[in-house]
Each structure stands twice: as C-alpha cells, then as structure tokens.
Amino acid sequence: YTTCRMIKKNKNLSDIPIIFLSAMSDSFKKVEAFKIGGVDYIEKPFQEEEVKIRVKTHLKFNENLILLKDTNKKLFKILQSTFDQAAVGISNIDINGKFIKINQKFHDITEYNDTQLLNQSIFTIIHPVFHEKVKQHINNLLNGKTSSFYHEIQIIAKDSSLKWGRLSVSLVYDDLNKPEYFVGVLEDITEKIKAEEEIKENNQILSIAQKMGKFGAWDWDVTNNILVWEDSMYELYEINRIDFKGDYDAWLKILHPDDSLIVQEAIQKALRGEKELEIGFRIITSSGKIKYIQAMASTFFDKKRNAKRMIGVNFDITNMIETMNNLQISEKRLKEAQNMAKLGSWDFNVKTNELY
C-alpha cells in the first residue's frame, strides 16, 4: 500500500496502472487498494492466463486514457485559440452576471483590459436604457423559458463613447444539469447601424425631393426583362400599378410614337457600353396628356461585358418645356407686332456705351 501511495504522488508515474496481487481476501483490504489508486485486485492462488489478460486489458485501457488526455489537451488548445482569435467578442459570465473570462476582440470592442472588466458586472458596459430588457432575457434563461437570446444594445466603451453591439447569450449547465455560467458573444455593429440610419435619412430626403421635384427611379433587370418602378414613377407616368406589366415593352407603349425610335437607339448604345443613357422624350398618359420626360441611367455589365442591369431616374420637365415654348411664342408674337406697327426695339449697354 505504501508503494502504491508513493507512485500515485509522483506526477511522472501516477498514470501507471497498479494491480494488487495478494493472498488476503478481506473486503476491507480490497476497498483500501482501490481507494489509494489500484485498478484491480487479484487473489492468490491465481491463474496465469487470467493475470495476463487482466494486465493486457488495463494496459490497453491506460493507453486509451493517455490518448484521450492528449486529445483533450489538443482540443483545448484549439478551443482556446479559437476563443482568443475569434472575430467577435466572447466572454464567460458567472451566474451573478460577472465576467470571468474575456477574449481579445471583446477587449477591442469595449476598450477595457482584463483587470478592468474581470469580476465586474456585465451591466458595466451596457447602456442603462437596455438594462431591464437584458435582465429579463437572463431571467428567462435561468428559468428555462429560453435556451439563448440576442439583442441589439448600446455599449459604453472605456472612454464613455457609445457603440452599437449585437449581444448573444446562452447558458451552460454542469453535470447535474444546473446552470454553471453564461457564454456571451458581442458583435460590433456600430457601422451597420450608422449605415442603416444614413440610408433611412437619404430615403427620407429622396422622398421629399421626389415630391418637390417630380422625379422617379427605376431598375431594369436586362437579362430577365423585369422593369421595377418605385412609387413616384407611377405618379410621374400617371398610371396605376396594376396596369403596368413591368417590362421593357410595356414601357415602350407609353412613349410618344415620334420619339420611340430615337429613344430605343439611345438605349441600345447604352446596352452596348458606347454611351451612358441621357435623353429627353415625350410620353402619352392614359388620359391622352403629353408629358416631357428627361431620363438618365447607368448600365451594369457582367464579366463578358454583356449588359445585365440598368438603373436610372426620370424627371418630369413638362413645365419647363411648356414655359420655354410659351416664351418662344411670346417672342414671335412680339416681333410680328413690331413689324405690323413699324416699331423697333433697342438695347443700350451702359458699361460699353453701345446701342443695339
């Protein structure tokens, strides 16, 4: 027994399986042998073949045990490396909500180091506006109502600046199926939120501009001949959505017959990549009204230089054209009146002292 205890205390020898071979059959002695680290107990007299088989069995078992430990060590290194080098912030949080482990990316996002966050509450970095919601999610985890949750929150960085983050949390259980700790994953989505806000703001500006400036945007899938109009295009062309089939041919039918050919030629040049589309033309609305449209578009090509998409805008320039036409008519009438009345007009340049 003394020898067994000495071997098990030695780190270099502790994995060696020890088999007791004894003439004592006392149950107490057997239990004692297993308690101090023995793997088997063989009573005398023994059978040689039985001993050999037991020895081989324990050696094989020990070999597998060593292999398993080695595999676990390698797996732990892989997991640790993945934890440390992950592209998102990862943290382990105890049941009371305090940080117990944090990876590098988590530090980068929050700008706190280990000593500043470990053993600190997770709510240290969460904006107070989101405290109640996160607490509710955590309680649902602990009560078994959910297995995980994610929520977009604002993070308070070390310098007090605010960042947006997507927080995902799940609960890890121990061998007795009791809550052991939380795993939190934090992704920095600040730029994403800013981009979404900019898009929303730009859309609002575009919507106002469309209402004030009378223009609409469109997107033509050239490959599949699908023409998508946004809402203001239908107002511009004075057509109901259900009456427009949404393809190139349907649009051609709205064009003024005298302008159709020149417009199609301009579009073909754009599709061949010779020139960007920029052209004015007339349309005839369902009520028979003639409107003047100015179109501009960009064409997109695939790797083989085949046109695959065209995106553009149409402007209603009817008022401008009518104003110009009325001005020309007024000028013409003025000249005719002057000729009939034998009157002339003159223009004096004060700076140059010239009379026209």
Side-chain angles (χ1 to χ4, degrees):
Y1 292 93
T2 301
T3 303
C4 181
R5 290 190 180 95
M6 292 175 60
I7 293 174
K8 291 301 176 181
K9 287 181 180 180
N10 190 318
K11 292 182 179 180
N12 297 323
L13 304 175
S14 60
D15 289 334
I16 297 176
I18 298 175
I19 299 176
F20 283 82
L21 190 62
S22 175
M24 293 184 291
S25 58
D26 190 335
S27 296
F28 177 78
K29 295 294 183 181
K30 293 180 181 180
V31 172
E32 182 67 17
F34 285 114
K35 281 185 176 180
I36 62 176
V39 297
D40 204 348
Y41 193 100
I42 303 174
E43 297 179 15
K44 297 179 181 179
F46 56 82
Q47 297 292 326
E48 183 177 346
E49 287 302 318
E50 179 187 351
V51 174
K52 288 180 179 180
I53 291 174
R54 288 195 178 192
V55 170
K56 287 182 180 180
T57 299
H58 287 296
L59 288 175
K60 184 63 177 178
F61 177 81
N62 194 64
E63 180 183 338
N64 291 336
L65 183 61
I66 293 173
L67 181 61
L68 180 61
K69 288 182 178 179
D70 185 56
T71 301
N72 286 339
K73 287 181 181 179
K74 291 179 180 179
L75 180 60
F76 179 78
K77 288 182 179 180
I78 294 173
L79 292 175
Q80 186 63 45
S81 177
T82 302
F83 180 87
D84 294 335
Q85 301 177 28
V88 293
I90 303 177
S91 61
N92 291 345
I93 307 161
D94 67 20
I95 300 302
N96 296 317
K98 294 184 178 181
F99 291 110
I100 53 180
K101 191 175 183 181
I102 301 165
N103 76 339
Q104 183 58 47
K105 188 64 178 180
F106 201 97
H107 294 308
D108 296 340
I109 295 173
T110 62
E111 300 177 15
Y112 285 95
N113 58 38
D114 282 339
T115 56
Q116 293 169 325
L117 271 189
L118 291 183
N119 296 318
Q120 296 296 317
S121 171
I122 185 176
F123 295 101
T124 302
I125 63 167
I126 298 177
H127 193 283
V129 171
F130 300 92
H131 281 192
E132 287 303 317
K133 193 65 178 179
V134 173
K135 287 178 181 178
Q136 181 181 345
H137 283 308
I138 290 176
N139 287 334
N140 288 339
L141 284 177
L142 292 173
N143 294 330
K145 294 182 179 180
T146 57
S147 58
S148 63
F149 76 84
Y150 82 90
H151 198 76
E152 291 186 356
I153 59 174
Q154 274 192 308
I155 301 298
I156 305 175
K158 181 184 176 183
D159 61 358
S160 298
S161 64
L162 296 178
K163 296 182 178 181
W164 279 98
R166 181 182 289 108
L167 178 64
S168 303
V169 179
S170 56
L171 184 58
V172 177
Y173 295 85
D174 60 18
D175 295 336
L176 299 176
N177 202 33
K178 292 183 178 180
E180 188 172 6
Y181 62 90
F182 299 101
V183 174
V185 177
L186 181 64
E187 181 183 359
D188 188 349
I189 58 171
T190 304
E191 295 303 319
K192 171 181 173 293
I193 295 295
K194 286 182 178 179
E196 289 177 349
E197 290 176 348
E198 288 178 2
I199 291 173
K200 184 178 180 181
E201 182 179 347
N202 289 338
N203 286 339
Q204 291 175 341
I205 294 173
L206 179 61
S207 178
I208 295 172
Q210 287 172 336
K211 292 178 181 178
M212 295 179 64
K214 294 184 179 180
F215 74 91
W218 49 269
D219 187 345
W220 180 28
D221 179 348
V222 179
T223 305
N224 299 301
N225 191 24
I226 299 174
L227 180 57
V228 178
W229 283 3
E230 56 87 37
D231 293 341
S232 58
M233 282 289 290
Y234 294 97
E235 297 178 12
L236 202 67
Y237 278 71
E238 298 183 16
I239 186 173
N240 293 323
R241 187 184 295 270
I242 59 174
D243 296 328
F244 183 64
K245 293 183 179 180
D247 58 34
Y248 178 70
D249 294 331
W251 173 72
L252 285 179
K253 292 178 181 179
I254 309 175
L255 298 185
H256 193 289
D258 294 342
D259 296 343
S260 181
L261 184 59
I262 190 172
V263 171
Q264 291 184 67
E265 289 176 352
I267 290 175
Q268 290 305 314
K269 286 183 179 180
L271 293 177
R272 291 194 296 267
E274 297 176 10
K275 186 180 180 181
E276 289 281 15
L277 180 65
E278 185 172 348
I279 190 171
F281 54 87
R282 291 167 293 174
I283 64 170
I284 302 176
T285 68
S286 58
S287 64
K289 185 190 344 180
I290 295 177
K291 299 181 75 171
Y292 292 83
I293 304 295
Q294 179 69 29
M296 293 185 293
S298 294
T299 309
F300 301 87
F301 302 86
D302 59 22
K303 293 181 180 179
K304 295 181 179 180
R305 290 299 298 170
N306 294 318
K308 64 177 183 178
R309 189 178 184 187
M310 185 181 287
I311 299 176
V313 291
N314 281 9
F315 296 87
D316 182 355
I317 58 172
T318 304
N319 290 339
M320 183 182 71
I321 295 296
E322 290 179 347
T323 300
M324 292 174 60
N325 289 339
N326 291 334
L327 181 60
Q328 289 176 355
I329 293 172
S330 297
E331 289 178 350
K332 183 178 179 180
R333 288 177 178 175
L334 176 61
K335 288 181 180 180
E336 291 175 351
Q338 289 173 338
N339 291 334
M340 291 176 63
K342 295 183 179 181
L343 297 175
S345 60
W346 54 270
D347 187 1
F348 179 63
N349 191 323
V350 178
K351 291 183 179 181
T352 61
N353 198 33
E354 293 179 311
L355 182 64
Y356 305 96

